[in-house]
Amino acid sequence: DAKTTQPPSMDCAEGRAANLPCNHSTISGNEYVYWYRQIHSQGPQYIIHGLKNNETNEMASLIITEDRKSSTLILPHATLRDTAVYYCIVRATLTGTASKLTFGTGTRLQVTL
Amino acid sequence: GAGVSQSPRYKVAKRGQDVALRCDPISGHVSLFWYQQALGQGPEFLTYFQNEAQLDKSGLPSDRFFAERPEGSVSTLKIQRTQQEDSAVYLCASSPTSVTGAGYTFGSGTRLTVV
């Protein structure tokens, strides 16, 4: 699976958009970009994933560059409850078998008043 | 239940003691994963089950670690002769299918402290 690079920490004011970047310059054509987050003392929580088109759901938006070498997770109106470690993961989607997610150290997002 | 349940939530073991950690996945979920998370690090893969079959155990750090899922539902991670370096949060995750792409649901983990 392709390696990802994320800033170790970011701050965001409550109510503002949080934009979390991720570099994955060695991503392969069949690899998806996944985002998970982990709130303190909880297990990771799935947020969103995409291949090459931008994606949006009730939690966030995912913007993937045209060359797919980087992406940005956008939380449109951050709240204090969005304070967490955010993990960007790239991996292939294969039918017939599920396999592990490879987590890095992620970005620690601190949302402040 | 609605989510993945892990027990106990906290476990303190004396060095050399055997421990067993339990995972109750979401009912009907085919895939089950165990991860180990050291303090300040991201989760690291230990092992994967598809139903009762253990398809990947490449992440188990030593032969003191053993996992089973005999009936394809509940899983147990056993650690024999615990050592201080085994201190970590052990996370379980399940997925409804065997196809990667579905979001995995994680439990809240078991925090193991070896003293």
Side-chain angles (χ1 to χ4, degrees):
Chain A
D1 295 332
K3 185 177 179 180
T4 62
T5 304
Q6 298 178 254
S9 64
M10 292 182 63
D11 292 332
C12 179
E14 189 176 34
R16 305 295 296 268
N19 298 285
L20 293 94
C22 180
N23 288 322
H24 32 80
S25 58
T26 60
I27 192 170
S28 300
N30 66 341
E31 289 183 314
Y32 284 68
V33 180
Y34 290 81
W35 283 85
Y36 280 73
R37 73 179 183 183
Q38 188 171 23
I39 295 169
H40 183 62
S41 295
Q42 297 182 22
Q45 176 191 23
Y46 167 79
I47 301 173
I48 198 168
H49 75 283
L51 182 63
K52 53 184 177 182
N53 297 320
N54 298 337
E55 301 288 344
T56 296
N57 63 21
E58 64 279 4
M59 291 183 67
S61 294
L62 174 61
I63 308 298
I64 302 174
T65 58
E66 191 169 346
D67 63 7
R68 302 206 326 119
K69 293 185 177 182
S70 65
S71 60
T72 301
L73 179 74
I74 301 172
L75 308 178
H77 305 286
T79 71
L80 296 178
R81 287 175 294 181
D82 292 321
T83 293
V85 178
Y86 288 76
Y87 296 99
C88 170
I89 301 163
V90 294
R91 71 172 323 288
T93 291
L94 306 170
T95 58
T97 180
S99 58
K100 60 184 180 283
L101 298 170
T102 301
F103 292 82
T105 52
T107 295
R108 183 172 299 278
L109 175 68
Q110 179 68 54
V111 180
T112 57
L113 291 171
Chain B
V4 176
S5 177
Q6 292 189 246
S7 60
R9 187 78 172 88
Y10 302 93
K11 176 69 178 178
V12 178
K14 291 184 178 179
R15 192 171 55 178
Q17 185 179 355
D18 297 350
V19 298
L21 312 180
R22 178 186 171 104
C23 173
D24 284 84
I26 294 173
S27 179
H29 274 201
V30 169
S31 298
L32 186 145
F33 301 81
W34 283 99
Y35 286 80
Q36 179 190 59
Q37 186 171 24
L39 189 64
Q41 302 297 313
E44 292 196 359
F45 169 80
L46 293 177
T47 188
Y48 160 61
F49 290 86
Q50 184 173 314
N51 295 309
E52 69 278 3
Q54 189 175 20
L55 298 186
D56 187 348
K57 52 183 181 179
S58 62
L60 296 176
S62 77
D63 58 7
R64 296 186 296 104
F65 287 71
F66 172 75
E68 60 183 6
R69 194 185 185 199
E71 298 179 355
S73 56
V74 172
S75 177
T76 303
L77 176 67
K78 298 179 179 178
I79 309 173
Q80 297 177 324
R81 304 181 303 281
T82 53
Q83 300 178 7
Q84 284 191 316
E85 60 263 32
D86 299 336
S87 295
V89 175
Y90 290 86
L91 295 161
C92 176
S94 70
S95 171
T97 73
S98 61
V99 177
T100 306
Y104 300 152
T105 302
F106 282 80
S108 294
T110 294
R111 180 177 296 278
L112 173 65
T113 303
V114 181
V115 297

